Amino acid sequence: MSKEPQNRLEHLAALKSKYQATQYEDSLPASLLYLILRKLDLGIKLLDLESNWLGESQLEETLEAIKQEQKHKVQEFRNLEFEFSKLKSKYKATNYNVSWQSTHLYFILLKLESGNLLTDLEVQWLRKTGLYETNKIAQEVKRFTQLKSQYKASQYQDSYPDSFLYQILKKLEVTERLSDSEYNWLLNNQLFETAEIFKQQESVKETHFAQLREKYQANLHSDLSLSSPLYPILQNIDAKDNLSESEISWLEQQGLNETIIIAQELEQTREFAALRYKYKVTRYEDSSPKSHLYKILKRLEFSNQLGEQDINFLKKRKLTEIIEITNEKYASTLKSKIDLGELLKESEIDWLQNNRREDIIILAQQKHFAILKRKYRLIYLSLALEPFYAIMVKLEKKERLDPKLVLQLMEEELLSPDGKIALAYYRLEAEFYEQEFHRTGNKWDIPTASSYWRKADEPEQALKLTNLDLSQIKESKLKSAISVTRGAAFRDMDNLADAEICAKKAMEYQPESYQPCTLMAAIAHDRGDYAKRDYWYEQAIKRGAKPEDIDDERKRLFRSTKDENKRHEAAEYLLKKDSQRYTWAKSYLKKIVRQW
């Protein structure tokens, strides 16, 4: 008999035994039973004819065996599905909804569960599929497995990252001290080699602790255990880390002052080295923090200026780089100050001049000039820096201006008589003459100050100053001058009745003076009585006023009259009276808009 038929006969016999059909006598490989049993063994569902044939052939036990196997397969399928679901939940893959039968995920998760490492292709598949959390756990499993191998704990089966062992091994990796409960856990789980590694680490640390105590003069401390706060403090010192306030406080409480001194000297030495590098003086041989150079550099961290003594020290040792760096830092600080709109002090400007930094001085002046132009409402005017900058700086310092310069600028129409610069100038002059009056008692300063208060558009101050008992003044000319300026202040405030009273008193005190007459003319103008105004102007000329000055006074009245209708009315009056003499009045005629 050939080998192939013999194998087929053996296969048929095995299948008959498996499916409880040994009582069936037909043992030929070409039989119907062999076909049916082979289909069952391959997991192929029987047809109705085949199932009926088994019943007709009285193979009920075979049919029962088939049912039991099918039932087992269904249960096993469900078991596999349930196990896959549990693994997906454990390894954060619940959002992956592909059937377990058609995905690599089941195999990968079982691989992780068994503590096996994933291949690069498997890791790439997880990333490509978007299972980042699963991949993260896989990396933790990999690290856990490596740590188990490194610290002799591979016999421990659990490889999931939430394992208590994983936390212990991570501590061992950074030589962190284990608690008593963690150490006992290793012993209880028969991880004796792992526990021994921990003991070796502790021994090394104890030796190291002893060396540090010796090195940093802390042997007098009684607590020699590794749990002592002293150990991490000494480690920080040795690692060149600066001590915190709490660490210094603890050392002081333990009486370890020598340790503090050593730590602080090391800290200062490191700081000195860093400062020497920063200020390009690494060639300087003395690296001790006791060096005067250290004190200089440390001060420079908080101040950008050097004292004369420090400059001499640096020059003597040819450390001019520090001076140059410091000067540049200070110049940058002043420049930043200017950019922020802050004003430089006199000492700062002196420093810039001494160090030939005219560029920054010019920048400061330009920025300050722009600020002052805004303050004095000259922002829209194209003004030269000089003399206006010097004028405004003086005004800011409350310093008096040169009256000739102010008058010249007004005549050249570079300054407006009622502009903010002129008003500030008038105010300063008023304050000056008022102070002079209080200082010297010279009453002639009263009308002068009052006049400036009026020009400064502060007639209230003029009235306050001239509110005097004139009977105490003997000089008629002075009493007349005070009365005139007081009357003019009343007029500024539209109190024409009191203004007239003052003007008439002034005439009584000094009948030959023309100034009360010009005041009376101005009052008449304000009242619209132009004939009486002209009468008083004629009286002023009779008393010595120059006609050209009276014409200038007329023009000032027109300029100060705000009511356009009044100006028009007054201009018409003058032009009717003498159109050639008062031709300038035409500019005050109101423009008539024709309506068609």
Side-chain angles (χ1 to χ4, degrees):
M1 185 180 289
S2 65
K3 188 173 182 181
E4 184 178 347
Q6 180 67 32
N7 289 341
R8 291 166 68 94
L9 287 171
E10 290 174 357
H11 185 220
L12 174 59
L15 291 174
K16 286 170 70 177
S17 174
K18 179 177 178 181
Y19 291 102
Q20 300 183 20
T22 52
Q23 73 272 28
Y24 190 74
E25 294 180 356
D26 186 0
S27 299
L28 294 175
S31 70
L32 290 171
L33 180 62
Y34 188 33
L35 169 65
I36 291 169
L37 294 182
R38 279 191 295 169
K39 284 182 75 174
L40 287 172
D41 200 46
L42 291 172
I44 300 172
K45 187 178 180 180
L46 296 183
L47 301 173
D48 291 342
L49 286 174
E50 294 164 337
S51 298
N52 292 337
W53 182 88
L54 288 173
E56 291 170 357
S57 303
Q58 297 180 347
L59 293 170
E60 289 83 0
E61 291 182 4
T62 302
L63 284 170
E64 184 62 29
I66 290 169
K67 288 179 183 178
Q68 291 299 323
E69 183 175 353
Q70 288 175 341
K71 186 177 180 181
H72 173 73
K73 284 181 178 178
V74 169
Q75 186 60 45
E76 190 61 26
F77 186 90
R78 289 174 179 168
N79 290 343
L80 287 168
E81 198 169 51
F82 178 70
E83 183 182 284
F84 182 47
S85 178
K86 282 180 64 179
L87 287 172
K88 285 204 301 178
S89 177
K90 183 175 181 179
Y91 289 94
K92 313 291 185 188
T94 51
N95 59 334
Y96 189 75
N97 297 316
V98 180
S99 171
W100 64 271
Q101 300 173 73
S102 57
T103 178
H104 298 302
L105 182 61
Y106 201 170
F107 176 77
I108 290 172
L109 296 183
L110 273 175
K111 200 172 182 183
L112 290 173
E113 185 71 1
S114 61
N116 292 307
L117 302 181
L118 301 186
T119 64
D120 290 342
L121 284 175
E122 290 164 341
V123 170
Q124 289 173 12
W125 186 88
L126 287 174
R127 289 174 181 164
K128 187 178 178 180
T129 315
L131 296 168
Y132 302 111
E133 287 293 319
T134 307
N135 184 51
K136 187 177 178 181
I137 295 171
Q139 299 310 311
E140 288 294 309
V141 169
K142 180 179 179 180
R143 187 182 176 212
F144 188 10
T145 304
Q146 290 169 340
L147 290 176
K148 285 199 292 184
S149 173
Q150 183 178 350
Y151 292 100
K152 314 296 182 186
S154 296
Q155 69 270 33
Y156 191 75
Q157 295 302 312
D158 188 4
S159 294
Y160 198 72
D162 66 354
S163 167
F164 192 54
L165 176 61
Y166 188 32
Q167 310 309 315
I168 292 174
L169 297 182
K170 284 194 288 186
K171 278 190 170 185
L172 291 178
E173 187 181 26
V174 294
T175 66
E176 186 179 334
R177 182 175 172 79
L178 299 183
S179 66
D180 290 341
S181 62
E182 290 169 331
Y183 178 70
N184 291 330
W185 187 91
L186 291 174
L187 297 178
N188 293 336
N189 285 273
Q190 299 184 350
L191 296 170
F192 302 118
E193 289 182 284
T194 308
E196 182 57 31
I197 290 173
F198 166 66
K199 283 295 183 183
Q200 290 172 2
Q201 285 184 351
E202 292 295 280
S203 178
V204 171
K205 284 192 277 189
E206 285 169 358
T207 303
H208 184 230
F209 188 20
Q211 291 170 344
L212 292 177
R213 291 197 307 272
E214 180 70 29
K215 183 177 180 179
Y216 297 108
Q217 298 185 22
N219 280 324
L220 295 178
H221 189 60
S222 57
D223 187 358
L224 305 181
S225 68
L226 293 176
S227 60
S228 168
L230 179 61
Y231 187 36
I233 291 175
L234 295 182
Q235 284 178 305
N236 285 343
I237 296 173
D238 206 51
K240 300 180 180 179
D241 291 335
N242 297 338
L243 294 181
S244 65
E245 291 294 329
S246 59
E247 289 172 330
I248 293 172
S249 177
W250 187 87
L251 290 172
E252 287 174 343
Q253 291 171 7
Q254 306 305 313
L256 297 171
N257 295 320
E258 291 182 351
T259 306
I260 295 172
I261 293 170
I262 293 171
Q264 289 175 339
E265 285 182 352
L266 289 172
E267 181 181 337
Q268 291 169 351
T269 300
R270 289 192 297 271
E271 184 184 28
F272 188 21
L275 290 172
R276 285 162 59 204
Y277 178 80
K278 180 178 180 179
Y279 289 95
K280 301 179 182 179
V281 285
T282 49
R283 70 179 186 277
Y284 191 71
E285 293 181 0
D286 189 356
S287 60
S288 169
K290 295 177 182 178
S291 165
H292 184 63
L293 178 61
Y294 172 60
K295 296 175 184 175
I296 292 175
L297 298 182
K298 194 172 175 66
R299 279 199 296 272
L300 285 178
E301 289 299 288
F302 302 98
S303 171
N304 291 327
Q305 276 189 290
L306 290 168
E308 189 175 345
Q309 184 180 354
D310 293 339
I311 292 173
N312 291 334
F313 174 90
L314 295 170
K315 285 181 176 179
K316 187 175 181 181
R317 288 155 184 80
K318 298 181 179 179
L319 299 174
T320 54
E321 300 96 330
I322 299 175
I323 299 172
E324 291 170 4
I325 293 171
T326 305
N327 286 349
E328 195 56 41
K329 276 180 65 180
Y330 187 54
S332 296
T333 301
L334 296 182
K335 201 171 180 180
S336 299
K337 188 175 178 180
I338 294 165
D339 290 337
L340 290 171
E342 297 180 27
L343 301 182
L344 298 185
K345 300 174 184 175
E346 288 292 338
S347 58
E348 292 168 337
I349 294 172
D350 290 342
W351 184 90
L352 289 169
Q353 288 174 337
N354 292 335
N355 286 273
R356 299 178 180 178
R357 293 308 302 263
E358 286 78 11
D359 56 322
I360 299 179
I361 294 174
I362 292 170
L363 175 65
Q365 289 176 341
Q366 290 172 340
K367 291 277 186 178
H368 192 203
F369 187 39
I371 292 169
L372 293 176
K373 281 174 70 178
R374 281 194 294 271
K375 179 176 179 179
Y376 290 96
R377 298 179 184 176
L378 301 171
I379 191 70
Y380 300 110
L381 298 179
S382 178
L383 299 177
L385 188 69
E386 295 300 340
F388 293 98
Y389 178 62
I391 287 173
M392 288 187 284
V393 167
K394 276 195 167 190
L395 292 176
E396 288 296 292
K397 294 178 181 178
K398 303 291 183 183
E399 293 179 7
R400 296 175 69 205
L401 303 181
D402 179 1
K404 292 180 180 178
L405 175 62
V406 175
L407 183 60
Q408 179 187 341
L409 292 173
M410 286 183 182
E411 288 175 350
E412 295 174 3
E413 296 185 353
L414 294 174
L415 269 186
S416 170
D418 54 356
K420 291 206 76 174
I421 288 181
L423 292 177
Y425 161 69
Y426 295 142
R427 190 177 301 110
L428 279 176
E429 291 299 297
E431 288 171 349
F432 170 76
Y433 283 106
E434 191 167 331
Q435 289 166 4
E436 282 294 291
F437 162 63
H438 292 301
R439 184 178 68 85
T440 64
N442 181 7
K443 292 183 176 60
W444 273 105
D445 288 327
I446 295 173
T448 305
S450 174
S451 175
Y452 278 117
W453 278 125
R454 288 183 53 240
K455 289 179 181 179
D457 199 20
E458 296 184 48
E460 306 90 347
Q461 295 295 331
L463 291 175
K464 183 179 176 182
L465 177 63
T466 57
N467 188 16
L468 304 169
D469 182 2
L470 297 183
S471 64
Q472 301 297 316
I473 299 175
K474 294 179 180 179
E475 194 175 351
S476 297
K477 187 178 180 180
L478 176 57
K479 288 195 285 186
S480 178
I482 293 173
S483 297
V484 168
T485 188
R486 183 172 176 79
F490 276 125
R491 175 179 169 265
D492 292 338
M493 298 177 71
D494 295 326
N495 187 346
L496 300 183
D498 286 339
E500 185 175 355
I501 291 170
C502 290
K504 288 178 178 179
K505 281 186 179 180
M507 288 182 192
E508 292 175 10
Y509 293 133
Q510 194 180 16
E512 69 279 7
S513 173
Y514 66 84
Q515 289 174 335
C517 297
T518 57
L519 175 57
M520 287 295 291
I523 294 168
H525 176 86
D526 292 345
R527 288 172 171 165
D529 191 344
Y530 306 123
K532 186 171 280 191
R533 177 196 63 191
D534 288 350
Y535 165 77
W536 284 114
Y537 276 144
E538 289 169 6
Q539 292 300 312
I541 292 171
K542 286 179 181 179
R543 286 168 172 77
K546 294 178 181 178
E548 58 269 25
D549 290 341
I550 294 300
D551 282 347
D552 288 340
E553 183 67 24
R554 287 181 193 275
K555 292 176 184 177
R556 277 194 292 273
L557 280 178
F558 271 81
R559 285 196 299 269
S560 64
T561 301
K562 296 176 183 177
D563 189 317
E564 188 177 355
N565 290 326
K566 269 193 171 184
R567 285 203 306 267
H568 180 81
E569 185 181 282
E572 278 189 330
Y573 177 85
L574 286 180
L575 290 168
K576 285 179 183 178
K577 187 174 182 178
D578 190 337
S579 60
Q580 289 186 343
R581 179 179 176 186
Y582 302 117
T583 187
W584 53 266
K586 290 180 181 178
S587 61
Y588 292 99
L589 288 174
K590 189 166 65 170
K591 292 180 181 178
I592 299 173
V593 179
R594 296 185 181 275
Q595 294 182 348
W596 300 92

